[in-house]
Amino acid sequence: MPTDRRALGPLPRIPRPNHREGLDGYLRRLAAANRVPPSYLYAHLAIPGTGYPGRIDPDRLAAVTGRATGAIIRAFPTLLSAPRTHAPRRTAENRTATTRSRLARAQTYAAIRQDRADGASIRALAARYHVNRRTVRQALESPTPPERKKPARPAPNLHPLRDRLDALLDDGNLSIREIWQRLFDEVDKPVSYSTVAEYARTRRPAKRRPAEQARAPQLSGTPMQHTARDLFHLVRTRPKMYGVHDYTSACAFVTGYDAATGFIALAGFREMLITRLGTGDNLTWHALVNRLAFGEYRAELDLDANNTAIETLFGQLDRFLELRDQSGGLVRIYDDYLTWLKSQPWFDAVKHFKIPPVAPVQPTEDPAD
């Protein structure tokens, strides 16, 4: 959609509003008279930041129709209607209240079952706990309260458009915004963007799963439980999506992830690289990967060298994480490192591991003497 917010002039063809005509009907007639898509006209006239299709700006509508703003407002009073407010999201307090309510219901169910075992009648239990008899019977059947039913609110505007919307969703090259634009231009009755987006969210994953599985890495666990190996695989296949454009930014990304985990995600990575190279105990893993990629350390990297270094980095990370996640993998990494370390002629256990010297034991006099 265009985003040009310059001053507008009158359109070539300006139809007069009909008696008791709604704003949407008039805008569609205005768009048809000037042979432009309704979504295109809405984009020029809507107030920025009011969603799709957006609230129409009275001043801009007056400008394109060549009329005064007051006359436009009198013809379409809905232009001054208050914007719709969305329900506030659930806060921590709301979630806590919901949890307490569930616990209270569970306690009530337990008390009802206990009193029933003592011989209380269903009517007496309903009066005692201020619930109806159906709730008492539910408590007697199961100690777990049933989940509250969520009302199903179908979108009636989508019923006549479902086939067309399904066809557009099957075309994997169209975004939700483009699909909404096509529907908005094709039908007379407006369809909100949120309605189309919600329908696409519930339907599109099932339709697009085979194509997504063919090109996307398989993630372990739920979307919020990706492992480090999953994440680095995503960065390796889509580096620019994560702000990685050269070897320096790749190292910064990996270091940031390690810092976010308390510097435990890459524990043993440097030691594995040292064992592979057979040298470099005084270097960081950034420099070790650089030497591993080119055989020697390169301070200046061109485009091809950056790509080689990035590929080497994530390749070594994948190898390290695969080895570390095996049973006893981290122990083997450090054992190989210590074996290499002890084989070096310059190795000194006291200096390397900073072992404090042992103070000589002073002989004590025997009191018997």
Side-chain angles (χ1 to χ4, degrees):
M1 284 187 181
T3 58
D4 191 358
R5 305 302 297 176
R6 292 177 296 182
L8 300 178
L11 293 172
R13 297 180 180 85
I14 305 173
R16 294 177 60 85
N18 295 329
H19 181 59
R20 294 184 179 179
E21 184 178 25
L23 177 61
D24 183 74
Y26 177 71
L27 290 177
R28 289 181 177 275
R29 287 202 303 116
L30 183 62
N34 292 274
R35 298 184 179 181
V36 296
S39 59
Y40 184 87
L41 183 62
Y42 264 86
H44 274 292
L45 302 182
I47 301 174
T50 55
Y52 302 115
R55 294 178 57 209
I56 300 301
D57 188 345
D59 295 330
R60 297 182 70 82
L61 180 56
V64 299
T65 56
R67 291 178 172 84
T69 303
I72 290 295
I73 293 176
R74 286 192 297 270
F76 305 107
T78 55
L79 287 171
L80 296 181
S81 60
R84 296 179 59 184
T85 57
H86 298 280
R89 294 185 177 181
R90 295 187 64 191
T91 61
E93 292 78 7
N94 293 338
R95 290 191 293 268
T96 302
T98 302
T99 304
R100 289 177 179 174
S101 176
R102 290 176 180 174
L103 292 175
R105 291 181 65 200
Q107 292 173 358
T108 302
Y109 270 44
I112 290 175
R113 295 170 65 86
Q114 181 65 38
D115 291 352
R116 179 64 172 177
D118 295 339
S121 65
I122 292 179
R123 177 180 296 179
L125 292 173
R128 183 179 304 172
Y129 293 100
H130 305 285
V131 296
N132 54 42
R133 300 180 189 179
R134 182 180 60 185
T135 303
V136 174
R137 293 189 179 93
Q138 288 178 348
L140 297 178
E141 293 175 358
S142 173
T144 305
E147 294 291 335
R148 296 188 181 275
K149 296 182 179 180
K150 296 181 180 180
R153 298 184 177 90
N157 290 349
L158 284 183
H159 288 307
L161 307 174
R162 198 177 298 274
D163 294 339
R164 175 59 176 159
L165 182 55
D166 289 343
L168 293 174
L169 288 172
D170 289 337
D171 185 357
N173 297 323
L174 295 177
S175 65
I176 302 300
R177 182 174 177 176
E178 292 171 337
I179 292 174
W180 170 82
Q181 281 183 277
R182 292 196 181 187
L183 289 177
F184 192 83
D185 295 337
E186 292 175 3
V187 300
D188 294 334
K189 192 173 183 180
V191 181
S192 67
Y193 178 84
S194 59
T195 301
V196 175
E198 178 64 21
Y199 180 79
R201 183 187 66 82
T202 56
R203 180 190 177 278
R204 213 169 198 178
K207 287 290 184 181
R208 299 185 66 184
R209 188 172 294 119
E212 290 177 353
Q213 288 180 348
R215 66 175 182 269
Q218 299 299 312
L219 302 178
S220 60
T222 63
M224 295 304 292
Q225 294 177 342
H226 298 171
T227 64
R229 196 176 179 189
D230 294 330
L231 176 61
F232 292 150
H233 185 77
L234 285 173
V235 180
R236 185 180 186 178
T237 54
R238 302 175 182 177
K240 293 183 180 180
M241 184 177 179
Y242 293 88
V244 174
H245 51 83
D246 57 9
Y247 180 63
T248 302
S249 57
C251 291
F253 181 91
V254 176
T255 302
Y257 179 85
D258 189 30
T261 62
F263 297 99
I264 62 174
L266 299 186
F269 180 53
R270 175 178 172 272
E271 286 72 13
M272 187 198 76
L273 295 175
I274 293 173
T275 305
R276 284 210 62 194
L277 281 170
T279 184
D281 191 58
N282 60 331
L283 301 177
T284 64
W285 63 259
H286 314 77
L288 291 170
V289 171
N290 188 306
R291 291 190 63 175
L292 191 62
F294 307 109
E296 59 180 1
Y297 182 80
R298 292 189 185 181
E300 300 293 336
L301 302 179
D302 56 14
L303 180 60
D304 293 337
N306 270 295
N307 294 334
T308 302
I310 292 174
E311 187 65 22
T312 304
L313 170 61
F314 287 109
Q316 293 301 317
L317 282 172
D318 188 73
R319 179 177 178 176
F320 160 72
L321 294 172
E322 181 183 10
L323 176 60
R324 189 200 64 180
D325 293 341
Q326 296 175 2
S327 178
L330 191 59
V331 175
R332 289 199 299 272
I333 291 175
Y334 279 108
D335 185 63
D336 292 342
Y337 168 68
L338 288 176
T339 301
W340 172 85
L341 193 63
K342 293 177 182 178
S343 65
Q344 304 305 308
W346 45 261
F347 174 70
D348 186 345
V350 175
K351 294 181 179 179
H352 193 90
F353 296 109
K354 299 180 180 179
I355 301 176
V358 179
V361 179
Q362 298 294 335
T364 58
E365 295 181 358
D366 190 351
D369 296 340

